[in-house]
Coordinates of all heavy atoms in Angstrom, one line a residue:
M42 N 90.4 89.4 84.3 CA 90.8 89.8 85.6 C 89.9 90.8 86.1 O 89.5 91.8 85.5 CB 92.3 90.3 85.6 CG 92.8 90.7 86.9 SD 94.5 91.3 86.9 CE 95.4 89.9 86.3
T43 N 89.4 90.6 87.4 CA 88.5 91.6 88.0 C 89.3 92.8 88.4 O 90.5 92.8 88.5 CB 87.8 91.0 89.2 OG1 88.7 90.8 90.2 CG2 87.1 89.7 88.9
D44 N 88.5 93.9 88.7 CA 89.1 95.1 89.2 C 89.9 94.9 90.5 O 91.1 95.3 90.6 CB 88.1 96.2 89.5 CG 87.4 96.7 88.2 OD1 88.0 96.6 87.1 OD2 86.3 97.3 88.3
Q45 N 89.4 94.1 91.4 CA 90.1 93.8 92.6 C 91.3 93.0 92.4 O 92.4 93.3 93.0 CB 89.1 93.1 93.6 CG 88.0 93.9 94.1 CD 86.8 93.8 93.2 OE1 86.8 93.3 92.1 NE2 85.7 94.3 93.7
E46 N 91.3 92.1 91.5 CA 92.5 91.3 91.2 C 93.5 92.2 90.5 O 94.7 92.0 90.9 CB 92.1 90.1 90.2 CG 91.3 89.0 90.9 CD 90.8 88.0 89.9 OE1 90.6 88.4 88.7 OE2 90.5 86.9 90.3
L47 N 93.1 93.1 89.7 CA 94.1 94.0 89.0 C 94.8 94.9 90.1 O 96.0 95.0 90.1 CB 93.4 94.8 88.0 CG 94.3 95.9 87.2 CD1 95.4 95.2 86.5 CD2 93.4 96.7 86.3
I48 N 94.0 95.4 91.0 CA 94.5 96.3 92.0 C 95.5 95.5 92.9 O 96.6 95.9 93.2 CB 93.4 96.9 92.9 CG1 92.6 97.9 92.0 CG2 93.9 97.6 94.1 CD1 91.3 98.3 92.6
F49 N 95.1 94.3 93.4 CA 96.0 93.5 94.2 C 97.2 93.0 93.5 O 98.3 93.0 94.0 CB 95.3 92.3 94.8 CG 94.3 92.7 95.9 CD1 93.0 92.5 95.8 CD2 94.9 93.3 97.1 CE1 92.1 92.9 96.9 CE2 94.0 93.6 98.1 CZ 92.7 93.4 98.0
F50 N 97.1 92.7 92.2 CA 98.3 92.4 91.4 C 99.3 93.5 91.3 O 100.5 93.3 91.5 CB 97.8 92.0 90.0 CG 99.0 91.6 89.1 CD1 99.6 90.3 89.2 CD2 99.4 92.4 88.1 CE1 100.6 90.0 88.4 CE2 100.5 92.1 87.3 CZ 101.1 90.8 87.4
A51 N 98.8 94.7 91.1 CA 99.6 95.9 91.1 C 100.3 96.1 92.4 O 101.5 96.4 92.5 CB 98.8 97.1 90.7
L52 N 99.6 96.0 93.5 CA 100.1 96.1 94.8 C 101.2 95.1 95.1 O 102.3 95.4 95.7 CB 99.0 96.1 95.9 CG 98.1 97.3 95.9 CD1 97.0 97.0 97.0 CD2 98.9 98.5 96.3
R53 N 101.0 93.9 94.7 CA 102.0 92.8 94.8 C 103.3 93.2 94.1 O 104.4 93.0 94.5 CB 101.5 91.5 94.4 CG 100.6 90.8 95.5 CD 100.4 89.3 95.1 NE 99.6 89.1 93.9 CZ 98.3 89.1 93.9 NH1 97.6 89.2 95.0 NH2 97.7 88.9 92.7
Q54 N 103.1 93.7 92.8 CA 104.3 94.1 92.0 C 105.0 95.2 92.7 O 106.3 95.2 92.8 CB 103.8 94.5 90.6 CG 103.4 93.4 89.7 CD 103.0 93.9 88.4 OE1 102.1 94.8 88.2 NE2 103.7 93.5 87.3
V55 N 104.3 96.2 93.2 CA 104.9 97.3 93.9 C 105.7 96.8 95.2 O 106.8 97.2 95.4 CB 103.9 98.4 94.4 CG1 104.5 99.3 95.4 CG2 103.4 99.1 93.1
G56 N 105.1 95.9 95.9 CA 105.8 95.3 97.0 C 107.1 94.6 96.7 O 108.1 94.7 97.4
L57 N 107.0 93.8 95.6 CA 108.2 93.2 95.1 C 109.3 94.1 94.7 O 110.5 93.9 95.0 CB 107.9 92.2 93.9 CG 107.1 91.0 94.3 CD1 106.6 90.3 93.0 CD2 107.8 90.1 95.2
I58 N 108.9 95.2 94.0 CA 109.9 96.2 93.6 C 110.5 96.9 94.8 O 111.8 97.0 94.9 CB 109.2 97.3 92.7 CG1 108.8 96.7 91.4 CG2 110.2 98.5 92.5 CD1 107.9 97.5 90.5
V59 N 109.7 97.2 95.8 CA 110.2 97.9 97.0 C 111.1 96.9 97.8 O 112.2 97.3 98.3 CB 109.1 98.4 97.9 CG1 109.6 98.8 99.3 CG2 108.4 99.5 97.2
A60 N 110.7 95.7 97.9 CA 111.5 94.7 98.7 C 112.9 94.5 98.0 O 113.9 94.4 98.6 CB 110.8 93.3 98.7
E61 N 112.8 94.4 96.6 CA 114.1 94.2 95.9 C 115.0 95.4 96.1 O 116.2 95.2 96.3 CB 113.8 94.1 94.4 CG 115.0 93.8 93.5 CD 114.6 93.7 92.1 OE1 113.8 92.8 91.8 OE2 115.2 94.4 91.3
H62 N 114.4 96.6 96.1 CA 115.2 97.8 96.4 C 115.9 97.8 97.8 O 117.0 98.1 97.9 CB 114.4 99.0 96.2 CG 115.0 100.3 96.6 ND1 116.1 100.9 95.9 CD2 114.8 101.1 97.7 CE1 116.5 102.0 96.5 NE2 115.7 102.2 97.6
L63 N 115.1 97.4 98.8 CA 115.6 97.4 100.1 C 116.7 96.3 100.4 O 117.5 96.5 101.2 CB 114.4 97.1 101.1 CG 113.4 98.3 101.2 CD1 112.2 97.9 102.1 CD2 114.0 99.6 101.7
E64 N 116.6 95.2 99.6 CA 117.6 94.1 99.8 C 118.8 94.4 99.0 O 119.9 93.8 99.3 CB 116.9 92.8 99.3 CG 115.9 92.3 100.2 CD 115.2 91.1 99.7 OE1 115.5 90.6 98.6 OE2 114.2 90.6 100.4
S65 N 118.8 95.3 98.0 CA 119.9 95.6 97.1 C 120.6 96.8 97.6 O 120.0 97.9 97.7 CB 119.5 95.7 95.7 OG 120.6 96.1 94.9
S66 N 121.9 96.7 97.8 CA 122.7 97.9 98.2 C 123.1 98.8 97.0 O 123.6 99.9 97.2 CB 123.9 97.5 99.0 OG 124.8 96.7 98.2
T67 N 122.9 98.2 95.8 CA 123.3 99.0 94.6 C 122.2 99.4 93.8 O 122.4 99.8 92.6 CB 124.2 98.1 93.7 OG1 123.5 96.9 93.3 CG2 125.5 97.6 94.5
S68 N 121.0 99.4 94.3 CA 119.8 99.8 93.5 C 119.8 101.3 93.2 O 120.2 102.1 94.0 CB 118.5 99.6 94.3 OG 118.3 98.2 94.4
D69 N 119.4 101.6 92.0 CA 119.4 103.0 91.4 C 118.0 103.5 91.8 O 117.0 103.0 91.2 CB 119.6 102.9 89.9 CG 119.5 104.3 89.3 OD1 119.5 105.3 90.0 OD2 119.5 104.4 88.1
A70 N 117.9 104.5 92.6 CA 116.6 105.1 93.0 C 115.8 105.6 91.8 O 114.6 105.4 91.8 CB 116.8 106.2 94.0
D71 N 116.4 106.1 90.8 CA 115.7 106.6 89.6 C 115.0 105.4 88.9 O 113.9 105.5 88.4 CB 116.6 107.4 88.7 CG 117.0 108.7 89.2 OD1 116.2 109.3 90.0 OD2 118.0 109.2 88.8
E72 N 115.8 104.3 88.8 CA 115.2 103.1 88.2 C 114.0 102.6 89.0 O 113.0 102.1 88.4 CB 116.3 102.1 88.0 CG 115.8 100.7 87.4 CD 115.2 100.9 86.0 OE1 115.6 101.8 85.3 OE2 114.4 100.0 85.7
I73 N 114.1 102.6 90.3 CA 113.0 102.1 91.1 C 111.8 102.9 90.9 O 110.7 102.4 90.7 CB 113.4 102.1 92.6 CG1 114.7 101.2 92.9 CG2 112.3 101.7 93.5 CD1 114.5 99.8 92.4
I74 N 112.0 104.2 90.9 CA 110.8 105.1 90.6 C 110.2 104.8 89.3 O 109.0 104.8 89.1 CB 111.2 106.6 90.7 CG1 111.7 106.9 92.2 CG2 110.1 107.5 90.3 CD1 110.6 106.8 93.2
T75 N 111.1 104.6 88.3 CA 110.6 104.3 86.9 C 109.8 103.0 86.9 O 108.7 103.0 86.3 CB 111.8 104.2 85.9 OG1 112.5 105.5 85.9 CG2 111.3 103.8 84.5
Q76 N 110.2 102.0 87.6 CA 109.5 100.7 87.7 C 108.2 100.9 88.4 O 107.2 100.4 88.0 CB 110.4 99.7 88.5 CG 111.6 99.2 87.7 CD 112.4 98.3 88.5 OE1 112.0 97.8 89.6 NE2 113.6 98.0 88.1
L77 N 108.2 101.7 89.5 CA 106.9 101.9 90.3 C 105.9 102.7 89.4 O 104.7 102.3 89.4 CB 107.2 102.7 91.5 CG 108.0 102.0 92.6 CD1 108.4 102.9 93.8 CD2 107.2 100.8 93.1
I78 N 106.4 103.7 88.7 CA 105.5 104.4 87.8 C 104.9 103.5 86.7 O 103.7 103.6 86.4 CB 106.2 105.6 87.2 CG1 106.4 106.7 88.3 CG2 105.4 106.2 86.0 CD1 107.4 107.8 87.9
A79 N 105.7 102.6 86.2 CA 105.3 101.7 85.1 C 104.1 100.8 85.6 O 103.2 100.5 84.9 CB 106.4 100.9 84.6
V80 N 104.2 100.5 86.9 CA 103.1 99.6 87.5 C 101.9 100.4 87.8 O 100.8 100.0 87.5 CB 103.7 98.9 88.7 CG1 102.5 98.2 89.5 CG2 104.8 97.9 88.4
L81 N 102.1 101.6 88.5 CA 101.0 102.3 89.0 C 100.3 103.3 88.1 O 99.1 103.6 88.3 CB 101.5 103.1 90.3 CG 101.9 102.2 91.4 CD1 102.6 103.0 92.5 CD2 100.8 101.4 92.0
D82 N 101.0 103.8 87.1 CA 100.5 104.9 86.3 C 100.0 104.3 85.0 O 100.5 104.6 83.9 CB 101.6 105.9 86.0 CG 101.0 107.2 85.3 OD1 99.8 107.5 85.5 OD2 101.8 107.9 84.6
T83 N 98.9 103.5 85.1 CA 98.3 103.0 83.9 C 96.8 103.4 83.9 O 96.2 103.5 84.9 CB 98.4 101.5 83.8 OG1 97.6 100.9 84.8 CG2 99.9 101.0 83.9
E84 N 96.3 103.6 82.7 CA 94.8 103.9 82.6 C 94.0 102.7 83.1 O 92.9 102.9 83.7 CB 94.5 104.2 81.1 CG 95.0 105.5 80.7 CD 94.6 105.9 79.3 OE1 93.5 105.4 78.8 OE2 95.3 106.6 78.6
E85 N 94.4 101.5 82.8 CA 93.7 100.3 83.3 C 93.5 100.3 84.8 O 92.5 100.0 85.3 CB 94.3 99.1 82.7 CG 93.6 97.8 83.0 CD 94.3 96.6 82.5 OE1 95.4 96.6 82.1 OE2 93.6 95.5 82.5
L86 N 94.6 100.5 85.5 CA 94.6 100.5 87.0 C 93.8 101.6 87.5 O 93.0 101.5 88.4 CB 96.1 100.5 87.5 CG 96.2 100.5 89.0 CD1 95.5 99.2 89.6 CD2 97.6 100.6 89.4
A87 N 94.0 102.8 86.9 CA 93.2 104.0 87.4 C 91.7 103.8 87.2 O 90.9 104.1 88.1 CB 93.6 105.2 86.6
A88 N 91.3 103.2 86.1 CA 89.9 102.9 85.8 C 89.4 101.9 86.8 O 88.3 102.0 87.3 CB 89.7 102.4 84.4
A89 N 90.2 100.8 87.1 CA 89.7 99.8 88.0 C 89.5 100.4 89.4 O 88.6 100.1 90.1 CB 90.8 98.7 88.1
M90 N 90.5 101.3 89.8 CA 90.3 101.9 91.1 C 89.1 102.8 91.2 O 88.4 102.8 92.2 CB 91.6 102.7 91.4 CG 92.8 101.7 91.7 SD 94.4 102.6 91.9 CE 94.1 103.3 93.5
N91 N 88.8 103.5 90.1 CA 87.7 104.4 90.1 C 86.4 103.6 90.2 O 85.4 103.9 90.9 CB 87.6 105.2 88.8 CG 88.6 106.4 88.9 OD1 89.0 106.9 90.0 ND2 89.1 106.8 87.8
R92 N 86.3 102.4 89.5 CA 85.1 101.6 89.5 C 84.9 101.0 90.9 O 83.8 101.0 91.4 CB 85.2 100.5 88.5 CG 85.0 101.0 87.0 CD 84.9 99.8 86.1 NE 86.1 99.0 86.0 CZ 87.1 99.2 85.1 NH1 87.0 100.2 84.2 NH2 88.1 98.4 85.1
V93 N 86.0 100.6 91.5 CA 85.9 100.0 92.9 C 85.4 101.1 93.9 O 84.6 100.9 94.7 CB 87.2 99.3 93.3 CG1 87.2 99.0 94.8 CG2 87.5 98.1 92.5
E94 N 86.0 102.3 93.8 CA 85.6 103.4 94.6 C 84.2 103.7 94.5 O 83.5 103.9 95.5 CB 86.5 104.6 94.3 CG 87.9 104.6 94.7 CD 88.7 105.8 94.3 OE1 88.1 106.6 93.5 OE2 89.9 105.9 94.6
H95 N 83.7 103.7 93.3 CA 82.2 104.0 93.1 C 81.3 102.9 93.6 O 80.3 103.2 94.1 CB 82.0 104.3 91.6 CG 82.6 105.6 91.1 ND1 83.4 106.4 91.9 CD2 82.4 106.3 90.0 CE1 83.8 107.5 91.2 NE2 83.1 107.4 90.0
R96 N 81.7 101.7 93.3 CA 80.9 100.6 93.8 C 80.8 100.5 95.3 O 79.7 100.1 95.8 CB 81.5 99.2 93.3 CG 81.0 98.7 92.0 CD 81.3 97.3 91.7 NE 82.7 96.9 91.9 CZ 83.5 96.9 90.9 NH1 83.2 97.2 89.7 NH2 84.8 96.6 91.1
V97 N 81.8 100.7 96.0 CA 81.8 100.6 97.5 C 81.6 101.9 98.2 O 81.6 101.9 99.4 CB 83.0 99.8 98.0 CG1 83.1 98.4 97.5 CG2 84.3 100.6 97.7
G98 N 81.5 103.0 97.4 CA 81.2 104.3 98.0 C 82.4 105.0 98.7 O 82.2 105.8 99.6
L99 N 83.6 104.6 98.2 CA 84.8 105.3 98.7 C 84.9 106.7 98.1 O 84.5 106.9 96.9 CB 86.0 104.5 98.4 CG 86.1 103.1 99.1 CD1 87.4 102.4 98.6 CD2 86.1 103.2 100.6
R100 N 85.5 107.6 98.8 CA 85.8 108.9 98.1 C 87.2 109.4 98.6 O 87.6 109.1 99.7 CB 84.7 109.9 98.5 CG 84.6 110.2 99.9 CD 83.4 111.1 100.2 NE 83.2 111.3 101.6 CZ 83.6 112.4 102.2 NH1 84.1 113.4 101.6 NH2 83.4 112.6 103.5
V101 N 87.8 110.0 97.7 CA 89.2 110.6 98.0 C 89.0 111.9 98.7 O 88.2 112.8 98.2 CB 90.0 110.8 96.7 CG1 91.3 111.4 97.0 CG2 90.2 109.4 96.0
I102 N 89.6 112.1 99.8 CA 89.6 113.4 100.6 C 90.8 114.1 100.3 O 91.9 113.6 100.5 CB 89.5 113.1 102.1 CG1 88.2 112.3 102.4 CG2 89.5 114.4 102.9 CD1 88.0 111.9 103.8
K103 N 90.6 115.3 99.8 CA 91.8 116.2 99.4 C 92.0 117.2 100.5 O 91.2 117.7 101.2 CB 91.6 116.8 98.1 CG 91.5 115.8 97.0 CD 91.3 116.5 95.6 CE 91.1 115.4 94.6 NZ 90.9 116.0 93.3

């Protein structure tokens, strides 16, 4: 899987998690946060994002 594919896959997963939360009246917010962290807080995703940022010249403004 390319870096771009990994990033888009993670974004699709996040979108599904958020959509499921919005559609469910009984969703547990803590569980949703846990699911989002599981998708977004990985070394593989962070490394892919860093490589893409460096390749295309993006920079994070703090």
Side-chain angles (χ1 to χ4, degrees):
M42 181 177 298
T43 68
D44 289 339
Q45 291 88 348
E46 289 170 334
L47 178 61
I48 292 166
F49 284 117
F50 180 76
L52 289 175
R53 279 193 296 271
Q54 287 181 301
V55 166
L57 291 172
I58 292 167
V59 170
E61 182 179 306
H62 171 68
L63 293 175
E64 292 175 0
S65 173
S66 61
T67 61
S68 291
D69 177 15
D71 289 336
E72 176 61 26
I73 299 303
I74 297 297
T75 300
Q76 291 176 12
L77 292 171
I78 289 171
V80 171
L81 295 172
D82 190 27
T83 67
E84 288 184 28
E85 184 180 12
L86 181 59
M90 291 175 70
N91 285 333
R92 286 189 297 268
V93 169
E94 287 174 357
H95 288 10
R96 266 197 308 268
V97 296
L99 297 176
R100 61 187 176 101
V101 176
I102 299 174
K103 295 180 182 180

